[in-house]
Every structure is written in structure tokens, then in C-alpha cells.
Amino acid sequence: MVNQPCYPAHIASLKPYVPGKPIGELARRLGVPTNQVAKLASNENPFGFSSLVREALKSGEVDLSRYPDNDCADLTRALASHHDLPPEWIVLGAGSESVIGNAVATFLEIGRRTAYSRYSFQAYVNSAQRVGAIPIVVDSPNFVVDLTGLRAQLVQEPSLIYIANPGNPTGTCVDPHELEDFLRAVPAHIVVLLDEAYFEFMPETVRLDSLRLVRTLSNLLVTRTFSKAYGLAGLRVGYGIAQPGMADMLRRARPPFTVTEQAQVAAMAALQDRDFIQRTVASNDAVRDHLAHDLGVLGFRSLRSHTNFLLAEVGDGSAWARRLESHGLIVRPVNSYGLARWLRISIGTSADIDRLVAAMRQEVA
Ligand SMILES: *Cc1c(COP(=O)(O)O)cnc(C)c1O
């Protein structure tokens, strides 16, 4: 007799998602105030969020006793106008991770296939595994998504292809022309989820105008988020953009009330502040280049990143993460991605990064 719950094999083999360590936890362990710990582990915005968000949340219109607007009508309209698309093309979710999970629930099931690149975002991989989909993992030479390799897998008829551009944890981008050719070559019954969580950090020269392609490709779903450049990771709000037919199906498959009223109000205010995004990106680019240079001087290579983090080859990633914790610095080991020699470092303020480089210099001495 079996005296415990009997899990399906695809559930029993799930690996836990390993998030960045919380600041409070390390501060407690080191016995220091939380403001002495710098978290460079979850690609959050070191400048927080726009002051317009603070004002909007303070104005106190949110009634916590009421359910939020399930349709996110005001935010949807604001996003539609921001992107110059009809509101029917926008689907909100509690973070883009929730939109991704929603897409997985919509397009995958036990026995259906999904294709993605090696080193793909763990949240996607887990989400597809959770529904019992069969993974087709395409190798990723040079840590860039291999579009030719993915194309070769189309004959296997995956129901859903996942591409993060830029990727996490790699930070690398694919060539925009090659990506466009790829997207145009995918048959209409195979859906492509293009995850653009770091879109705001991409320079124009490497950006694909994905929303132009959504207008012509009925099988393309683009996701964006307020968690990274907009600095609202704690509120959980992101969205998908697709043609109305797909957007409607995603809306039906979505659990109700996932986006809180505060998140809706905050996201609308955040959209108004383009200066904040510009300042964020400008600082990020400068500090990231600086860090890449300093890591090079220490003898560590890092991948060319178009995001707010760097993936650096440091030898033993976990050992480095532990060493840096003793300096009050939280970075992200990536062994769960099969990258035990690498460390993912979020771009903090220039003071944070100076502190990190000083600690590393001390450790290698
Ligand atoms: C951070 C991240 C997301 C989503 O984050 P949310 O907070 O759920 O919006 C999605 N994809 C990638 C590749 C990310 O790095």
C-alpha cells in the first residue's frame, strides 16, 4: 500500500526555483543593519522606482476591501496607448512570469513539446515541466540562443517555443535580423513566446521591433515587465502582447484577480516617467561597462550583456557567492543552470559595484 501522495513523474522531478537571498536574511546572519547589505542578485533597479509611483500610491485611492479590476481596464488602455496598439492586444499578469505561466497553461499539456535554448530562464523551464510538456533543449554555443538550431527542431512540432531576448542568466541578445527571419519562418500553428523582460536596457541597434511583428504574426506573444527597469519587482505586474484572438484565449485561461489594484495604479504612474527609465538605463550602462572592465583586470571574463546584470566566469560560482556574502554582498550563483563556474551579478549603484570590486580584489589578493 502506498502511504503517501503519489506525484506524477514530471512533478516529482521538479527542481526548486532558487531566488536571490533576501537582504534581511544575510543582515541577520552577519549581525549588521539591512542598509549595509547590497543585493546584486535579482536584477532589481538599484534606484527603486519613479517618484510618480510613490505619489500615486500615497494618494490613497486604493480600497483594499475591494477586489481589483480583473480586466485592468485603465492600465490596459494606458499600455495600449503607450505601444500604439488596441487594448484588445494586451494581457496583464502578476509579473511577466505569471503571463509566461499563463501561456504555458494555454499552449502546453502532458505530451506536448516545447523548444527552448540551453540556459533558458528557470521559471519558464519549471513552468513547462509542471504541466508535463516534453522539453526540446537546443544547445547554446557562445551562450547565445542558436536560432538555426531551434529552426531545425520545428520538424518535431513543438507547440510552444520560448526565447528570452536578452536572455537570463546569459544577458546576451540575438541578432535582430536573424530573429525576425526566424519568427517569420515559424509555421502559424507553432507559438513563439518572446520574453523581453530587459527590453528597456537594449540599445536601439540590437532591438528587434517586436511589436511591429506582432501585428503580422498571429503566433507571436511578446512579454514585458515592470519588475526590471521600472523597478516594481515587489508589486508583481507584467504583460503580454499578442493579436486579439490569442490575447482573448490567454485572458480566459488566466486565474482571476492576479494583478492587485496597487500594482495597476503604480504601473500606470511608472509608464508616465520616461526620464526615470532613461536615467536608469544610462547609469546601468556606465556601471556595467565599468564592472566588465574591472572584472577583466581581476582576470575574469564576462559575457557581453544588454541587461542590468553580467554573467562572469569566476571559477567556483558558489564559493564566490559565499565569500562575497561575508562582505555583505549578495550575488547569484547559477549552478542550477549548469553554469557552476559562473556568477550572475546585478548592476547596482556605482557605489555597490565599487564595493563588490573592492571585495573581489581583496579575495583574490
Ligand atoms: C526577471 C525576468 C522575468 C520576469 O519577471 P517578473 O517579475 O515575473 O515580471 C521574465 N523573464 C526573464 C528572462 C527575467 O529575467
Side-chain angles (χ1 to χ4, degrees), residues 95-97 100 121 162 164 168 195 197-198 225 227-228 236:
S96 56
E97 205 275 315
I100 290 169
F121 188 42
Y162 173 81
N168 175 10
D195 178 345
Y198 301 94
T225 182
S227 296
K228 306 287 157 66
R236 314 306 302 126

Side-chain angles (χ1 to χ4, degrees), residues 93-112:
S96 56
E97 205 275 315
S98 130
V99 182
I100 290 169
N102 188 16
V104 163
T106 303
F107 297 109
L108 295 177
E109 62 175 333
I110 292 179
R112 284 201 184 194

Side-chain angles (χ1 to χ4, degrees), residues 17 42-43 93-100 120-124 162-169 195-198 223-228 232-234 236-239 308-309 337 344:
Y17 180 79
S42 298
N43 307 339
S96 56
E97 205 275 315
S98 130
V99 182
I100 290 169
S120 281
F121 188 42
Q122 192 72 43
Y124 177 78
Y162 173 81
I163 299 173
N165 191 50
N168 175 10
D195 178 345
E196 296 187 327
Y198 301 94
T223 57
R224 302 267 178 95
T225 182
F226 286 93
S227 296
K228 306 287 157 66
L232 295 174
R236 314 306 302 126
V237 53
Y239 57 103
N308 60 347
F309 61 87
Y337 289 91
R344 199 191 70 191

Side-chain angles (χ1 to χ4, degrees), residues 302-314:
S302 55
L303 300 183
R304 178 94 181 91
S305 164
H306 292 295
T307 62
N308 60 347
F309 61 87
L310 270 185
L311 189 66
E313 190 173 20
V314 293

Side-chain angles (χ1 to χ4, degrees), residues 176-197:
H177 305 288
E178 284 174 30
L179 181 55
E180 175 160 356
D181 289 348
F182 173 83
L183 294 173
R184 289 186 185 282
V186 176
H189 64 284
I190 298 177
V191 173
V192 181
L193 198 181
L194 182 61
D195 178 345
E196 296 187 327

Side-chain angles (χ1 to χ4, degrees), residues 329-349:
L329 296 159
I330 308 173
V331 294
R332 188 76 155 265
V334 279
N335 22 359
S336 63
Y337 289 91
L339 294 165
R341 297 183 49 76
W342 298 75
L343 207 52
R344 199 191 70 191
I345 304 166
S346 304
I347 306 306
T349 61

